[in-house]
Amino acid sequence: MQDYEESVSFLGTWGPFQKRVFLLLCLTSIPGGYNILSVIFLLAKPSHHCHIPAQSNLSQDWIQASIPLQVAGGRLERSSCSRYELDLVQNLSAVGGKPALNWILNQSSVEVLVSSLKREGCKDGWTYSTEHYESTVVSEFNLVCSDQWKQPLTSLFYFLGGIFGCLISGQISDRFGRKPVLFGAIFALSLFSSAAAFAPSWPVFIAFFFMLGMGQITSYIAAFVLGSELFMGSTRVNFSSLCFPCVYTSAMLLLPVNAYLVRSWRHLSLTMAVPGLACLPLWWLIPESPRWLVSRGRFQEAELLLRSAALHNRVEAPYVIFIPANVEKETSEKVESTSILDLLKTANIRNVTLMLWIIWFSLNVSFFGLSFNMSALSGNPFLNYILLTAVELPAYTASWLVAHSFPHRLSCISFTLLGALALLLIQITLDSNPAITLTLVLLGKFGILAGIAVLYIFTSELFPTVIRNSAMSSCAMFSRVGSSVSPYLLHLAVFNQFLPWIIMGCLSLLSLLVCFFLPETFREPLIDTIEQMPPVQWFRWPWASTPPDDGKLAKDQTTAPEICTSRL
């Protein structure tokens, strides 16, 4: 409805009703934020080597000598997937051979004899380090060596669940409402987190993990849309671009702390169900979106909700909230169903859509690739992930401040360029200076995330009202495609240890180059129809924008609601 915000302006923007709902909706972001890093900690791969059975009757020296040594990353370490043939080692031990403690360095006869033995796989399983984790999905189901492909595949299933959630959540939310989808997704998070803790096998676990990924992204989108529709003006901006994502990030910080305290993956999975269960009673305190009710022609329910809000705010609602003429006109129009195909209907919208899909995909490959590649850095993994997550708070704050004062396209390009340069510089310091490398990783995360945050504003303003929800869902889907690819980046390090960082930096550069050609939307009114979409600027500098014509804006549209940003 074009004049919806004018019709409900009597409520104000920051009364007791808005304050209560503002706080409660921020709390609903905690289950999704708490679960997003589960991919990292549940699927952590501890250092490991072939297990030597106790009944082999080997001394500790012979147990050490039975595991071959190899050079990896410039360091000498024990082989993870092979051992010397145990029968031969037992025979050597039986005849009285005793390897010297310095058998590696002195090249003694025992060392030559042992190193010349044939190797075999880990027939008796593996021994896993418990330095950081008591148990993980990888160590319990032995997703190593010949089965190591199952680890990134498990992460892939989580993000495929997110893609599926993006495909269906928008349509279900448009049909049945924001509130049922939000709390249905939160319940699914708790249900499948608990179920995953009792998974008896790897196939069962990935089935639950798929559903967990679907619930995570769906809960975030539903809460984001519900808040964007319930609030107006600066309250909407503050909710979606600052407070909501900051609470989400704070929830992300809780999981590394909890993973440090709870070292068993099954117990950790059970704790992941707690935030969702705690949020379920909020069903009776958070209202449905009156804007959505109006869009579905349910005016009586919308008026009842708004009059209740007016009582909370101690303001008097008008006798008629929605003008009968407008109501009659709105109800007489058939609501057209939109789909992802509408994003490809005309040449102009098709160009904008394809460019944004490339940008969302590229930036999210880099964003999630940074998280997965943290395991390649030295230091405590829990502290590394806490630092990597904590840098999101200043990133959101910076994007919120910049988006209010500078063109959105230029802001997105600038932040992304900062992140890309930091990622490309990592290859210079990766081996020589761990502290500088960690600083560059954090700077890269800051730039990429701030660019994504501004991209939310930019994407929302580029698409018209009739397909804005479908457009955001489609972009979120491509972001999940990018996150699905990111677990495999780490495996490219077997070819070159710098390759994952180079790919992430180059993809970030690609996204900012594509962003050059998108039209600027800063201080422009929101558009309502596909025909109003601005054309692609094929040869325009990013800082070149056309100032809005105030007279035309007043004529074409009433108050243009400010669009906000956040991260899925």
Side-chain angles (χ1 to χ4, degrees), residues 278-456:
C279 285
L280 289 179
L282 300 182
W283 167 274
W284 289 276
L285 300 175
I286 295 177
E288 179 56 271
S289 165
R291 186 187 292 264
W292 174 80
L293 291 172
V294 169
S295 71
R296 303 298 296 180
R298 295 161 60 173
F299 294 95
Q300 291 183 347
E301 296 176 60
E303 286 206 10
L304 183 63
L305 193 156
L306 292 170
R307 293 186 187 281
S308 175
L311 289 176
H312 281 85
N313 285 357
R314 296 181 177 86
V315 297
E316 183 177 353
Y319 182 75
V320 177
I321 296 179
F322 300 107
I323 302 174
N326 290 341
V327 173
E328 184 178 348
K329 178 182 177 182
E330 190 73 19
T331 54
S332 65
E333 294 177 353
K334 293 183 179 180
V335 178
E336 293 186 12
S337 60
T338 58
S339 68
I340 197 172
L341 296 179
D342 292 308
L343 301 175
L344 307 173
K345 182 178 293 185
T346 66
N348 188 49
I349 194 172
R350 184 164 54 247
N351 291 333
V352 172
T353 300
L354 293 176
M355 289 180 185
L356 285 171
W357 285 350
I358 293 173
I359 296 172
W360 279 78
F361 170 83
S362 302
L363 289 182
N364 277 273
V365 169
S366 301
F367 178 83
F368 283 95
L370 277 168
S371 298
F372 284 107
N373 275 287
M374 283 297 285
S375 59
L377 302 179
S378 59
N380 186 290
F382 304 104
L383 180 60
N384 286 346
Y385 281 109
I386 288 175
L387 292 175
L388 192 68
T389 304
V391 77
E392 297 189 12
L393 296 175
Y396 281 126
T397 304
S399 64
W400 174 67
L401 293 172
V402 168
H404 278 73
S405 305
F406 298 95
H408 297 159
R409 181 176 57 165
L410 177 61
S411 302
C412 184
I413 291 173
S414 301
F415 280 128
T416 305
L417 180 61
L418 173 65
L421 293 177
L423 292 175
L424 292 174
L425 288 174
I426 286 175
Q427 56 186 313
I428 301 176
T429 64
L430 187 59
D431 292 328
S432 58
N433 198 318
I436 295 180
T437 299
L438 181 59
T439 302
L440 288 174
V441 169
L442 297 178
L443 185 61
K445 175 75 175 287
F446 174 89
I448 297 298
L449 179 59
I452 292 176
V454 177
L455 184 62
Y456 264 86

Side-chain angles (χ1 to χ4, degrees), residues 56-59 62 87-98:
S56 60
N57 295 323
L58 296 177
S59 66
W62 275 109
D87 292 340
L88 295 177
V89 173
Q90 287 176 315
N91 291 337
L92 289 171
S93 177
V95 298
K98 293 183 179 180

